[in-house]
């Protein structure tokens, strides 16, 4: 079963920091509107999404939104 792409938008410009620590292997991080960071990547299931959200929580990163992105490539 193929995974689905998700988009997570977080507060602050964190893309390069998260990529440097290897926390988001396989995800792309780009600047979002209003100074946030847009994280897009493929996840195999809902447990992986919850794992990503737990990681962001442990890093004290405020999540603004989470949504499935149909037909998108990271």
């Amino acid at each position: 079963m193929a995974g689905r792409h998700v988009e997570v938008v977080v507060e602050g410009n964190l893309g390069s920091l998260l990529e440097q620590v290897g926390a988001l292997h396989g995800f792309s991080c780009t600047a979002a509107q209003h100074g946030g960071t847009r994280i897009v990547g493929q996840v195999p299931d809902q447990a992986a999404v919850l794992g990503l959200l737990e990681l962001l929580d442990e890093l004290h990163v405020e999540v603004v939104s989470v949504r499935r992105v149909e037909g998108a490539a990271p």
Side-chain angles (χ1 to χ4, degrees):
M1 178 177 171
R4 294 189 171 137
H5 287 89
V6 296
E7 173 193 72
V8 179
V9 177
V10 300
E11 285 289 329
N13 186 1
L14 306 175
S16 62
L17 172 66
L18 293 174
E19 288 176 337
Q20 286 175 10
V21 299
L24 298 174
H25 180 68
F27 287 81
S28 67
C29 299
T30 57
Q33 294 179 348
H34 310 295
T37 300
R38 179 179 181 256
I39 303 165
V40 178
Q42 188 172 1
V43 294
D45 53 28
Q46 186 173 354
V49 175
L50 294 174
L52 173 61
L53 294 175
E54 183 177 324
L55 171 67
L56 293 171
D57 183 56
E58 289 172 1
L59 294 171
H60 304 287
V61 174
E62 183 177 343
V63 175
V64 175
S65 67
V66 179
R67 70 182 185 105
R68 188 167 75 189
V69 182
E70 297 292 334

